[in-house]
Each structure stands twice: as C-alpha cells, then as structure tokens.
Amino acid sequence: MSQSEKLFAIREVSELTGVKPVTLRAWQRRYGLISPARTDKGHRLYTQINIDTILEVKRWLNQGVSIGKVKPLLGTQPSGETLGSGSKVLQDVELVLSSLALLNKGKAESIVSNVLKEYPADMVVEQFIHPTFEALELLKGSVKSLQRGLFQSLVITRISAILEAENKAATKGKMLFVSLAPVGDVSAWSRILVLSEKGFDITVLENVDDFSGLVNEIDLSKFVELQLHSHKALLDRQLTWAQMLVEDDSLQFGLSPIIQILHQDDLSEAAT
C-alpha cells in the first residue's frame, strides 16, 4: 500500500457502495471477501481496490449467486456455468419457509438475522422478504395467518434493531418517516430498512391518518428529509397536505411507490 493511497473508513465505504457496515464485516469475517487494513486502534480502512471488490461482490449477488459461492468467482467473467439461476430469489427463502411451516421460531429467526446481515438491504427486500411473503400468500386458512405472523414479527424486530444501530451512527442529519399504513406494515419497514443505509437518523411514525400538523404546527426545520409512506391511495385531504409539504423547498421529500404511481402528477405540479 503506497503512503499516498487514499483510505476510506467503513462508513464512507458503506455510503459509496450501498452495503451497510455490518454486512461489510460479515463479508470479511465469514467469507474472507475483503481484507481492509487497520488503524492502531483497530478501525478498518479500505482502499479503492477493496471498494472495487465490494462492488464486484454485489454484481455477482445480482446475478443470483449466493454469498457463500462468490469468493471463487472474484476476478472472473460471468458465464453460463457460473451464473446463478436468475430467479432473483435467495436460496434462504426455501429455508425460512420450511422453518415457518414448523413454527420453528429459533431457526427462522437465525435465517432472517443472517440474511439481513449478509446481503445489501435492497437485495434483502426484493429477493428475500417479498418472495417469502408471496409464497406465504399461497397458503390456505389459519396456516397462512400463523406463518405470516411469525415471519412478519421476526423481520420487523430485526429491522428495528438495525435501525437503532444505524441511527446511533448517522451522519447526514434527521429524517422523518411517516407511514399511513397500520403498525407493523412490512412494506413500510422494508423501505425503512433500505433508507437506514443512507446515513440518516430516522424517526418512524406509524398508523398516521391525519398528518396535517406537519404543514403548519410542527417545526420540520430539524429534519433534512421527509418520507411519506402509504399502502393505498391517499384520501383527498391527505393529498392536499402532501401537496403543501412538497411545496416546501427546504425539505427533501420521498414517496412510497404506491403514492408515486397514483399521485405523481398531482405532487409534481405542487413541486413546480
């Protein structure tokens, strides 16, 4: 390593690559994918080569290769033999479904925890959380309710722990996440998981029906960004409040996919 080579702290690397620090540590300790240097106090320092390796790992994961099979592929080009199934579903989905079928909380909890630790947040949502819920929806009767309830509880508990840890290390200011969905809505917490990697200290408000107070009663100046989440179309009064919030140029504004799809034109006009 040359003395002039730029070195990056783990938080900087997380922001550059979109891979949370706990995942970077797991890739090093469990899989030996990266080998950062250390300061005298033991803090990790990453080179540009380390960062390039991390991005390559992400590319292999996006090809459908599981994290445990990536190391031998580093530095090679994808081929028909090395590519994953292309299904964009982690193998852990089958494992967790088997555990849920037996209501084996300990095993399912271990799988959920490992997946959230070893994969980037967007991949966890798209290739683990969503496919698992889709599979559970195919079940019938109370079996579906029981297994879905267990999985939902495990996922939200783990994301809450991740959020608490990430909030303590936040460097980019405060974010307010307002969810109109019921408490424990997995679509809301999936978005929170992805947002937790952005470096903000996130305050979560759930089951909010009336958020008119954000327009003229609550001082939002301490927040850098406001995220509005809904699992269904906004009511007319809610759309009006959202339009008024969007007009505030001092605040960055984020919308859940459903709001974007159903109300993008109305909110875009308010922003202009």
Side-chain angles (χ1 to χ4, degrees):
M1 182 188 304
S2 65
Q3 293 183 348
S4 61
E5 185 174 11
K6 181 174 174 58
L7 298 175
F8 302 83
I10 193 168
R11 284 284 162 187
E12 294 178 289
V13 175
S14 179
E15 293 177 8
L16 289 169
T17 63
V19 181
K20 54 187 176 291
V22 66
T23 302
L24 293 173
R25 296 187 189 102
W27 287 2
Q28 176 187 354
R29 292 171 179 168
R30 186 168 182 180
Y31 300 105
L33 296 173
I34 42 179
S35 299
R38 297 270 189 169
T39 67
D40 293 339
K41 294 184 178 180
H43 300 304
R44 291 172 174 81
L45 292 175
Y46 296 79
T47 64
Q48 184 59 51
I49 293 177
N50 294 146
I51 293 173
D52 293 341
T53 299
I54 293 165
L55 295 175
E56 184 182 357
V57 171
K58 288 186 67 177
R59 287 194 291 271
W60 281 113
L61 294 177
N62 286 325
Q63 292 287 351
V65 178
S66 64
I67 187 64
K69 297 180 180 179
V70 167
K71 189 173 183 178
L73 301 175
L74 294 178
T76 67
Q77 294 297 319
S79 67
E81 295 180 356
T82 57
L83 287 179
S85 63
S87 62
K88 302 302 182 184
V89 175
L90 297 182
Q91 296 176 357
D92 303 85
V93 171
E94 292 186 10
L95 297 176
V96 79
L97 287 172
S98 298
S99 300
L100 294 172
L102 299 173
L103 296 184
N104 187 336
K105 177 179 180 290
K107 181 63 174 177
E109 187 174 39
S110 176
I111 295 169
V112 169
S113 178
N114 285 338
V115 169
L116 284 166
K117 182 185 298 183
E118 295 176 355
Y119 291 91
D122 54 351
M123 191 171 297
V124 171
V125 172
E126 296 300 327
Q127 299 186 32
F128 180 69
I129 294 178
H130 287 173
T132 300
F133 273 110
E134 289 170 1
L136 292 174
E137 283 299 316
L138 299 177
L139 301 177
K140 304 295 183 182
S142 65
V143 172
K144 174 169 71 174
S145 180
L146 292 170
Q147 295 185 35
R148 181 183 175 90
L150 176 56
F151 185 63
Q152 180 172 331
S153 173
L154 295 175
V155 167
I156 293 176
T157 297
R158 186 62 192 134
I159 294 177
S160 297
I162 291 172
L163 178 64
E164 181 178 0
E166 292 299 316
N167 279 351
K168 291 179 180 178
T171 60
K172 292 188 175 180
K174 295 181 178 296
M175 175 190 293
L176 183 62
F177 186 95
V178 180
S179 174
L180 282 57
V183 173
D185 178 75
V186 175
S187 67
W189 281 95
S190 293
R191 286 192 66 218
I192 291 168
L193 174 63
V194 174
L195 291 169
S196 72
E197 295 187 340
K198 307 299 183 183
F200 293 99
D201 181 353
I202 304 176
T203 298
V204 177
L205 306 180
E206 295 184 88
N207 198 29
V208 177
D209 175 63
D210 183 351
F211 58 94
S212 60
L214 296 177
V215 177
N216 48 27
E217 296 180 32
I218 303 297
D219 180 11
L220 295 177
S221 61
K222 64 180 178 180
F223 294 102
V224 177
E225 183 168 331
L226 171 64
Q227 287 280 341
L228 185 63
H229 179 89
S230 181
H231 61 308
K232 58 184 180 181
L234 299 179
L235 300 176
D236 288 343
R237 64 176 185 276
Q238 293 172 332
L239 178 57
T240 298
W241 301 330
Q243 289 172 322
M244 296 175 71
L245 288 170
V246 170
E247 291 173 354
D248 184 354
D249 295 334
S250 66
L251 193 65
Q252 298 180 44
F253 204 75
L255 303 168
S256 64
I258 287 181
I259 297 179
Q260 291 185 37
I261 293 171
L262 298 178
H263 303 293
Q264 185 63 59
D265 291 342
D266 294 322
L267 294 175
S268 295
E269 290 179 5
T272 58

